[in-house]
């Protein structure tokens, strides 16, 4: 019985096509603040916007891509653990981890505009031009009305029928939602209509390239420049931010 089962599994393994992640290549490396515990990242009009976490060390910052120099910075109140950020019109929206507290800032100078509440935890954010998309550490992604930041709907992210949890930093890329997975070097490419993972991009070689060994220094942070089709990735406390070219 056991032998028959093993034979069956072996036959299936031979019949199944070799599973390959989405191919990508490293284009170049840029400096990245090694003290930045990256929780949010996006690219807009020639600059990177980044948020960092940990209580007492959280901020939002505008960063020069080429030099990694901080161009503008706003410290988040020390009681909060900063999480994801996203731009909407002339605003920047930010989350906190377990305080259920979101903030809206003026994108141009980071002056505070308003705040909002949400249920559960706040992790990553991105937007698709219509809704703000938010992760909370589970396999679910929420779609929020970007003006009032109220939840409209949610999807469950799955791979071969199994829920994919620990969804972390997000990015809207080529009509897909790309998501870092906490404690995983793979980025999930998610179909926004169904939540199904289309494929994976494994950036494990970049951890070696970045020279990080701390177990908390996980891959986190995806930014996309749609105008030039450039993908930028980094991680928590990584001294490098990488531009990669991902196969279509
Ligand atoms: Ca992002």
């Amino acid at each position: 019985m056991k032998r028959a089962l093993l034979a069956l599994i072996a036959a299936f393994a031979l019949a199944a096509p070799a599973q390959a992640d989405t191919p990508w290549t490293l284009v170049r490396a840029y400096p990245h603040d090694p003290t930045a515990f990256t929780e949010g990242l996006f690219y807009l009009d020639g600059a990177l916007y980044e948020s960092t976490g940990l209580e007492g060390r959280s901020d939002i910052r505008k960063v020069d891509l080429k030099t990694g120099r901080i161009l503008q910075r706003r410290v988040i109140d020390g009681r909060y653990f900063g999480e994801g950020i996203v731009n909407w019109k002339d605003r920047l929206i930010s989350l906190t981890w377990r305080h259920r507290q979101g903030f809206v800032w003026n994108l141009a100078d980071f002056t505070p505009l308003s705040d909002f509440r949400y249920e559960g935890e706040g992790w990553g954010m991105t937007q698709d031009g219509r809704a703000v998309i938010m992760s909370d550490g589970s396999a679910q992604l929420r779609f929020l009305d970007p003006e009032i930041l109220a939840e409209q709907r949610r999807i469950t992210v799955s791979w071969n029928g199994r829920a994919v949890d620990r969804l972390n930093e997000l990015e809207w890329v080529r009509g897909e939602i790309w998501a870092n997975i906490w404690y995983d070097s793979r980025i999930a490419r998610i179909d926004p209509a169904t939540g199904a993972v289309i494929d994976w991009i494994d950036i494990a070689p970049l951890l070696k390239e970045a020279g990080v060994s701390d177990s908390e220094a996980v891959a986190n942070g995806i930014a996309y420049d749609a105008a030039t089709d450039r993908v930028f990735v980094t991680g928590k406390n990584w001294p490098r931010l990488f531009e990669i070219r991902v196969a279509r």
Side-chain angles (χ1 to χ4, degrees), residues 41-42 125-126 169-171 222-223:
L41 191 73
F42 65 83
M125 273 198 293
T126 190
E169 219 277 319
L170 305 175
E171 189 68 21
I222 312 165

Side-chain angles (χ1 to χ4, degrees), residues 117-119 132 134 136 140-146 148-155:
R117 306 283 296 171
Y118 49 84
E119 291 300 311
V132 161
M134 168 184 167
D136 61 12
Q140 301 208 314
L141 292 175
R142 310 176 194 186
F143 290 73
L144 313 181
D145 179 317
I148 59 171
L149 299 162
E151 184 178 334
Q152 297 171 312
R153 63 191 174 92
R154 54 175 73 192
I155 57 173

Side-chain angles (χ1 to χ4, degrees), residues 92-232:
L92 183 146
I93 303 158
S94 72
L95 299 175
T96 59
W97 184 25
R98 286 176 164 163
H99 279 84
R100 305 182 177 196
Q101 182 68 57
F103 299 104
V104 183
W105 314 86
N106 184 325
L107 180 67
D109 60 10
F110 294 166
T111 52
L113 297 176
S114 61
D115 52 48
F116 62 102
R117 306 283 296 171
Y118 49 84
E119 291 300 311
E121 298 188 1
W123 285 44
M125 273 198 293
T126 190
Q127 53 117 328
D128 63 2
R130 295 187 304 263
V132 161
I133 306 164
M134 168 184 167
S135 66
D136 61 12
S138 73
Q140 301 208 314
L141 292 175
R142 310 176 194 186
F143 290 73
L144 313 181
D145 179 317
E147 295 295 339
I148 59 171
L149 299 162
E151 184 178 334
Q152 297 171 312
R153 63 191 174 92
R154 54 175 73 192
I155 57 173
T156 300
V157 175
S158 63
W159 168 245
N160 289 338
R162 292 179 64 173
V164 176
D165 62 6
R166 291 175 288 125
L167 299 172
N168 207 355
E169 219 277 319
L170 305 175
E171 189 68 21
W172 182 257
V173 184
R174 304 170 186 164
E176 301 170 1
I177 301 165
W178 290 11
N180 287 113
I181 313 288
W182 196 32
Y183 289 123
D184 197 319
S185 61
R186 296 173 307 159
I187 292 168
R189 293 175 46 204
I190 302 160
D191 179 340
T194 63
V197 173
I198 301 158
D199 203 6
W200 301 91
I201 304 160
D202 192 351
I203 60 169
L206 295 180
L207 273 93
K208 204 171 285 178
E209 192 74 27
V212 289
S213 52
D214 183 342
S215 62
E216 293 301 319
V218 294
N220 204 37
I222 312 165
Y224 184 59
D225 177 17
T228 60
D229 194 32
R230 289 184 297 173
V231 177
F232 304 101

